[in-house]
Amino acid sequence: MSAALDYRELYDLIERLEPEQVEEPHRHALSLVEMPRRSRFRVLKSFEGPSRCRS
């Protein structure tokens, strides 16, 4: 049994990008590997769910 993670889905998504779409995810990936490990996920915005409709 291998302990390696399966990144096929990530690679498939990257392959589907158009050349002009690659710059933004490339910059984001670089920022994740260049920042200290414990603060990596602070760049992700929190999600509070859809706003509630008031009637």
Side-chain angles (χ1 to χ4, degrees), residues 1 9 11 15-16 27-28 33 42-44 47 50 55:
M1 185 167 137
E9 181 183 13
Y11 291 127
E15 288 293 321
R16 291 172 48 191
R27 278 194 322 261
H28 183 67
V33 298
R42 291 184 185 164
V43 296
L44 299 176
F47 177 72
S55 303

Side-chain angles (χ1 to χ4, degrees), residues 25-53:
H26 181 255
R27 278 194 322 261
H28 183 67
L30 281 175
S31 72
L32 288 174
V33 298
E34 290 173 350
M35 67 178 53
R37 187 169 185 85
R38 68 189 125 158
S39 65
R40 283 186 183 176
F41 294 104
R42 291 184 185 164
V43 296
L44 299 176
K45 306 273 190 268
S46 64
F47 177 72
E48 297 178 12
S51 59
R52 295 181 185 194
C53 296

